[in-house]
Amino acid sequence: MRSLIENHIDDFLEILTYEKRFWKDFWEKLPYKPITEHYANHFVNFYDKLCAISRNELTEFSHIYDKSKESLKEELSIRIRKSAHDLELSKEDFVIYLIAGIGEKDWVVVEGKHEKVIVFDVFSLWRKGKFSSLSDAVFQAVIHFRHGDLEGDYYDKSEIFKRLKDEISQMDNENILQKVCELLDKHIPYYNWTGFYLMDEEGMLVLGPYVGEPTEHVRIPVGKGICGQAAETKLTFIVQDVSRETNYLSCSPHVKSEIVVPIFRNDGSVFGEIDIDSHFVAPFDERDKEFLEWIAHQLAVRIVHWKEFDRRIKIAYLDSYISYILNEIVKYNIQFSVSLYVHSVPENVPENLYRFWRIARKLHNAKIERVVVVDSVEDQKAIISTPRGTYTLTYDVLKLSSQDIMHKLILHSSPETSTILFAIHHDAVKLAQNFVNTRLITQYVLKPESNINTILYAFLTGITAGYSGSFNRAMFFYYTDKEFIFQKALGPRTMEEAQGIWEAIEDIELNMSDFLETISKDFKSSLELVYDGKTVKEEKVQQYLDGKAHVISKVELPELAEELDINSDFALMALKSGDKFIGLVVADNNFDGKSISEYQINVLEDIGRQMALVLENRRFIETIKEKAEIDILTGLRTRRMFEEFTTNVLLEKFAVVFLDLNKFKIVNDMYGHEKGDEILKKFGKCINLNIRKSDLAFRYGGDEAVLIISSVERDVIEKVVLRILECFKNSTEMTFSAGVAIYPTEGDIQKVLKLADERNYKSKVSGKVEF
């Protein structure tokens, strides 16, 4: 049998026995003319390049070659002759020469004595680190020779396919079929037409995106041609020589071979096909089949079932803990990418993998590096890559809860990443405690017995308590007439007092429930004694009144810092409802000297907004209540409230005092109603200032008032009335008459009221309190 492959490497390596100055002579005396002459003429400055070869390098190659030369020729021959029919070896129109050349080109075709010679430079292949791929490289050279190429370099299909897999897995879904076609056409030399056929509702294969010559086969019935057969049998079809295929639809006279790979739905039906035409004979092998079937598998997720995957990504639930962690990661500007390895069946993909998918799509500092479809459910994973390191969440980890995954990330990430993640987790826990505290405050203020005093102290405690905001001091100023007026404060006055508070901390519960249950409505902070009457002009802090918490240095607001004895940076936040000011909160770390942390600012803003909401709601309710219960002019309870009292008398015994201003009509007639209103205001103020806590006062009508005094002792009643009279007389130089009746001694409430009215008229004459 004629020798197809001739191994002359040993002969060419004899050059190593010569001095370099004789290498040119050695080459010219080789007994393989005209092959060696034609080979040398193929290169520019061939002999210069020959003599430039490193002797050491060529020697190293010879050692590698010696280890495998016994089997080399036989392996090559078997590989070539396996495809003898497709490569048309029967023509006997070429022979392969294995040599050690100048290492510049893997193979060239030259004229021999009787046939073409494919001169293969094994030294060149070795230089590229591909010596172990010699049989594949030589086979590839023969395929290209049959295609008409006269020279070439080996390309490793396995490496190309690996790189292209990576590129495809990084593609987004938009126009992915077209992009795959363009990618394969660009990087695989023997893929000369690349396209997709997609199955329509009628069961026809319809031409989809493609790259290559136009084709007339835009609709192909199942069973017809190579594409139709692949759809019918649901198998990958490889045809190395289409001229020998009877059921073949010719697309172009240039096409010599074809491979068709079905794309399946999860139910096993055919969605479409990948179709590759080549102008080469027998270019395809198992690597092409595996690569194209891999693409088809990826498209099952990226195209075929994408709607269901996309739906599950969009509804992937991100709870409050995850959301907080993500928001903080954005603040830290931690750049990261996520590589996702998913199963083709949406139901088999863990919820946490969908969560990472959603996260990487949404965050500006994150990206999806790649999406790879895997065959086994257990092979699913998410790889998180950051500049600080990479962490892989396996399938078992992805099935864990969010907190368990966070725990593993903290434990197994790089030290720098772990520190950041733990800091975020720690802040999340602190904010959760703050939420517990604000919830307790909210629950308290909704109780009927809550009062504004304890409400304010509760909020100030939330700002200052170690288990919440941890500020040393906090002060509240209420807003009125373009200024903020000091109202409440909490915190130590001196360092000694601060030390005492810190020593007592171990006795405090871990939330505010104890405080809210025990605080007295009459409690007054010692700090309030110092700052009572202090005011902050709106114009002085105008630039900070945006409803956010600001950290301010003493230099920025020196007058305020001095007024409030602030010796370091402090925080200031205006409480607003819409554009309306409610108050101002000032907080500092006056005694421990710590810098105000971002966490403290977050707590202050959370509590401050809650405080604004509660105070505005409280004020609104109190305003409505006052309008219904309190007379605007006098400040006394309304006539309606008196009628409610008379219909539901709760006191066992009391005195009813009827008061009526003397000569009030003259004041109105002489000075007008504005002056009359001023008199009535002073009348109501004197009454409210001089009745006891257990007494009630009502505006009965016009200039008349009714007192309910919780005593039936004449001396007690008279003292209350005379105190009111003295106050009124001093402020207005006017007097009033007063009639008294006792309930229930003198009858029911209506009779007692009538008696008091009658005695009031008698008082106008006598000028004294009439009983």
Side-chain angles (χ1 to χ4, degrees):
M1 180 183 288
R2 169 182 175 272
S3 178
L4 175 65
I5 300 172
E6 297 186 19
N7 184 1
H8 299 292
I9 297 174
D10 282 320
D11 297 334
F12 281 79
L13 286 176
E14 284 293 319
I15 199 170
L16 289 169
T17 63
Y18 288 75
E19 294 182 25
K20 268 206 172 186
R21 59 196 176 99
F22 298 120
W23 278 16
K24 180 176 183 294
D25 294 337
F26 168 81
W27 186 275
E28 289 177 338
K29 292 176 181 178
L30 283 168
Y32 306 115
K33 295 181 178 65
I35 297 170
T36 50
E37 291 178 345
H38 291 159
Y39 179 78
N41 292 335
H42 188 84
F43 299 93
V44 178
N45 300 323
F46 175 81
Y47 291 108
D48 290 340
K49 292 175 180 177
L50 177 68
C51 294
I53 296 172
S54 163
R55 182 184 289 275
N56 290 339
E57 187 181 22
L58 197 58
T59 301
E60 185 182 350
F61 164 70
S62 70
H63 293 326
I64 298 296
Y65 164 70
D66 280 341
K67 294 177 183 178
S68 56
K69 66 180 181 181
E70 294 300 324
S71 59
L72 194 64
K73 182 177 178 181
E74 184 179 353
E75 288 178 4
L76 286 171
S77 181
I78 292 172
R79 177 67 190 277
I80 301 294
R81 293 188 184 281
K82 272 179 68 175
S83 302
H85 192 273
D86 295 323
L87 297 177
E88 302 178 289
L89 299 186
S90 60
K91 289 183 177 181
E92 297 188 352
D93 56 346
F94 74 92
V95 67
I96 301 167
Y97 262 52
L98 301 181
I99 70 165
I102 60 173
E104 184 173 305
K105 180 65 66 175
D106 288 354
W107 59 272
V108 298
V109 177
V110 300
E111 292 291 339
K113 293 180 180 179
H114 308 291
E115 69 242 304
K116 300 286 186 183
V117 179
I118 302 174
V119 181
F120 199 101
D121 185 355
V122 181
F123 176 58
S124 173
L125 191 70
W126 172 82
R127 268 185 163 179
K128 297 171 184 174
K130 296 296 180 182
F131 182 76
S132 61
S133 302
L134 180 60
S135 61
D136 188 42
V138 173
F139 179 79
Q140 193 179 97
V142 175
I143 289 174
H144 279 267
F145 165 72
R146 279 286 177 240
H147 181 62
D149 296 335
L150 298 179
E151 65 174 35
D153 289 307
Y154 173 65
Y155 50 86
D156 190 328
K157 291 168 72 169
S158 297
E159 287 185 357
I160 292 174
F161 293 157
K162 182 181 178 181
R163 187 176 72 251
L164 295 186
K165 282 182 179 181
D166 199 50
E167 288 194 42
I168 291 169
S169 68
Q170 294 181 57
M171 288 179 178
D172 58 40
N173 285 8
E174 187 176 359
N175 300 321
I176 189 171
L177 297 183
Q178 183 65 39
K179 287 187 283 192
V180 167
C181 291
E182 292 168 359
L183 188 71
L184 303 192
D185 180 75
K186 179 179 179 181
H187 293 284
I188 305 176
Y190 54 95
Y191 283 16
N192 303 114
W193 190 95
T194 303
F196 291 90
Y197 281 92
L198 306 177
M199 193 76 76
D200 68 6
E201 294 179 356
E202 298 175 3
M204 293 284 285
L205 290 167
V206 179
L207 181 64
Y210 71 93
V211 172
E213 295 179 25
T215 176
E216 62 184 25
H217 302 297
V218 295
R219 290 175 65 83
I220 300 175
V222 172
K224 186 73 172 176
I226 308 301
C227 289
Q229 291 179 79
E232 184 177 50
T233 61
K234 299 182 181 179
L235 297 172
T236 295
F237 262 62
I238 300 177
V239 179
Q240 301 286 24
D241 186 351
V242 295
S243 65
R244 293 184 173 87
E245 176 65 37
T246 56
N247 189 3
Y248 169 68
L249 298 175
S250 177
C251 296
S252 164
H254 301 115
V255 176
K256 298 292 189 293
S257 56
E258 183 175 10
I259 180 171
V260 179
V261 178
I263 303 169
F264 298 106
R265 298 185 180 90
N266 285 335
D267 63 4
S269 61
V270 175
F271 172 82
E273 295 175 339
I274 306 170
D275 184 16
I276 308 292
D277 289 345
S278 177
H279 297 168
F280 295 71
V281 174
F284 306 116
D285 58 28
E286 279 299 314
R287 289 172 292 179
D288 295 270
K289 181 175 182 290
E290 186 278 330
F291 171 60
L292 294 172
E293 287 179 348
W294 180 89
I295 294 176
H297 200 40
Q298 306 310 301
L299 296 177
V301 169
R302 308 292 290 278
I303 294 293
V304 183
H305 297 290
W306 178 245
K307 285 186 178 179
E308 179 58 20
F309 276 92
D310 191 45
R311 184 187 74 82
R312 288 173 181 263
I313 295 167
K314 289 176 179 176
I315 64 172
Y317 176 62
L318 303 179
D319 60 31
S320 57
Y321 176 74
I322 297 175
S323 298
Y324 176 78
I325 298 295
L326 293 175
N327 285 327
E328 292 304 299
I329 286 174
V330 170
K331 289 180 185 177
Y332 277 94
N333 197 29
I334 300 174
Q335 302 294 318
F336 68 96
S337 63
V338 180
S339 294
L340 304 168
Y341 293 76
V342 304
H343 195 259
S344 58
V345 180
E347 295 80 4
N348 292 340
V349 178
E351 179 71 9
N352 279 322
L353 199 149
Y354 283 123
R355 288 191 179 109
F356 278 108
W357 207 331
R358 181 180 176 188
I359 289 164
R361 282 168 60 169
K362 295 295 182 184
L363 296 189
H364 68 77
N365 60 319
K367 69 173 183 176
I368 299 173
E369 184 68 30
R370 59 180 54 80
V371 177
V372 181
V373 181
V374 295
D375 294 323
S376 171
V377 171
E378 288 73 22
D379 287 340
Q380 295 181 96
K381 60 186 175 182
I383 301 175
I384 303 171
S385 300
T386 75
R388 301 176 179 90
T390 298
Y391 183 70
T392 300
L393 288 84
T394 63
Y395 176 69
D396 290 336
V397 173
L398 287 168
K399 292 192 296 181
L400 299 175
S401 64
S402 301
Q403 57 266 37
D404 286 337
I405 290 178
M406 186 65 176
H407 179 231
K408 286 187 174 292
L409 285 172
I410 290 172
L411 286 178
H412 301 296
S413 297
S414 68
E416 188 178 359
T417 301
S418 293
T419 300
I420 292 173
L421 290 177
F422 185 77
I424 294 171
H425 170 76
H426 182 248
D427 283 348
V429 174
K430 289 196 295 184
L431 287 172
Q433 177 62 48
N434 182 51
F435 172 75
V436 170
N437 292 329
T438 54
R439 184 182 65 183
L440 288 167
I441 294 170
T442 304
Q443 290 172 347
Y444 170 76
V445 301
L446 293 175
K447 291 181 179 180
E449 64 269 23
S450 67
N451 64 87
I452 193 65
N453 190 56
T454 50
I455 288 172
L456 288 172
Y457 280 128
F459 280 119
L460 294 177
T461 300
I463 294 170
T464 57
Y467 47 76
S468 190
S470 300
F471 282 99
N472 293 173
R473 306 190 307 169
M475 307 165 212
F476 172 72
F477 298 73
Y478 69 88
Y479 180 78
T480 182
D481 295 330
K482 300 289 183 180
E483 63 180 2
F484 298 93
I485 301 173
F486 178 86
Q487 186 171 6
K488 294 291 177 188
L490 203 59
R493 276 194 303 178
T494 64
M495 180 61 77
E496 291 74 23
E497 190 177 334
Q499 292 289 352
I501 290 172
W502 293 331
E503 289 171 5
I505 280 177
E506 62 187 42
D507 298 324
I508 299 175
E509 291 293 332
L510 293 179
N511 58 48
M512 300 190 68
S513 56
D514 261 11
F515 170 83
L516 294 172
E517 288 172 6
T518 58
I519 186 69
S520 166
K521 66 178 181 179
D522 299 319
F523 170 77
K524 197 174 182 72
S525 162
S526 61
L527 202 60
E528 293 170 20
L529 301 175
V530 183
Y531 302 122
D532 190 28
K534 299 286 186 185
T535 61
V536 179
K537 296 293 184 184
E538 180 185 337
E539 61 185 28
K540 295 289 186 181
V541 291
Q542 187 66 52
Q543 60 182 311
Y544 307 109
L545 303 181
D546 55 0
K548 298 178 181 178
H550 295 270
V551 178
I552 302 168
S553 69
K554 287 177 62 178
V555 179
E556 292 176 80
L557 294 173
E559 292 179 13
L560 180 60
E562 186 177 352
E563 285 254 318
L564 301 177
D565 303 309
I566 296 171
N567 53 35
S568 60
D569 292 351
F570 61 97
L572 182 148
M573 180 181 179
L575 308 186
K576 299 179 74 175
S577 176
D579 294 328
K580 183 168 61 176
F581 293 117
I582 295 169
L584 186 74
V585 174
V586 176
D588 62 43
N589 292 334
N590 232 25
F591 299 105
D592 63 19
K594 294 178 180 177
S595 299
I596 295 172
S597 67
E598 184 179 353
Y599 169 74
Q600 285 183 303
I601 291 299
N602 288 336
V603 171
L604 179 57
E605 288 194 343
D606 289 344
I607 292 180
R609 292 188 184 107
Q610 186 83 354
M611 195 174 179
L613 183 65
V614 168
L615 293 179
E616 176 66 0
N617 181 60
R618 190 85 178 189
R619 184 163 68 179
F620 176 72
I621 292 172
E622 291 296 335
T623 301
I624 294 175
K625 188 176 179 182
E626 283 182 9
K627 286 181 179 179
E629 297 180 359
I630 304 299
D631 178 66
I632 296 174
L633 187 61
T634 64
L636 303 176
R637 295 170 188 263
T638 61
R639 174 73 175 265
R640 185 177 70 81
M641 292 301 296
F642 178 70
E643 289 172 354
E644 286 186 13
F645 173 80
T646 59
T647 57
N648 187 25
V649 177
L650 298 177
L651 298 174
E652 290 184 6
K653 53 185 179 178
F654 54 86
V656 175
V657 183
F658 206 103
L659 306 180
D660 185 16
L661 297 186
N662 296 327
K663 302 179 181 180
F664 181 68
K665 186 175 183 304
I666 296 173
V667 173
N668 275 336
D669 291 344
M670 289 183 65
Y671 302 106
H673 288 285
E674 187 174 338
K675 181 65 175 178
D677 287 347
E678 184 183 331
I679 297 296
L680 289 173
K681 285 180 182 178
K682 292 179 178 180
F683 181 45
K685 185 176 182 180
C686 285
I687 292 173
N688 281 330
L689 284 173
N690 289 286
I691 61 174
R692 301 166 309 167
K693 287 184 179 180
S694 58
D695 301 332
L696 300 173
F698 304 89
R699 185 182 183 186
Y700 193 72
D703 59 341
E704 298 171 331
V706 173
L707 309 181
I708 303 296
I709 297 178
S710 59
S711 174
V712 295
E713 298 295 326
R714 184 184 180 109
D715 289 348
V716 174
I717 299 166
E718 202 161 30
K719 280 182 181 179
V720 172
V721 175
L722 291 178
R723 281 202 306 268
I724 297 170
L725 180 59
E726 183 181 5
C727 171
F728 185 61
K729 196 172 183 179
N730 290 337
S731 61
T732 65
E733 297 182 353
M734 292 181 65
T735 61
F736 56 77
S737 54
V740 182
I742 306 300
Y743 173 87
T745 306
E746 296 184 272
D748 62 27
I749 186 64
Q750 294 302 327
K751 185 176 180 181
V752 168
L753 179 62
K754 187 178 180 183
L755 285 173
D757 188 17
E758 290 171 355
R759 289 167 187 166
N760 174 62
Y761 279 106
K762 187 178 179 181
S763 171
K764 286 187 180 294
V765 177
S766 66
K768 60 182 181 180
V769 180
E770 292 290 341
F771 287 84

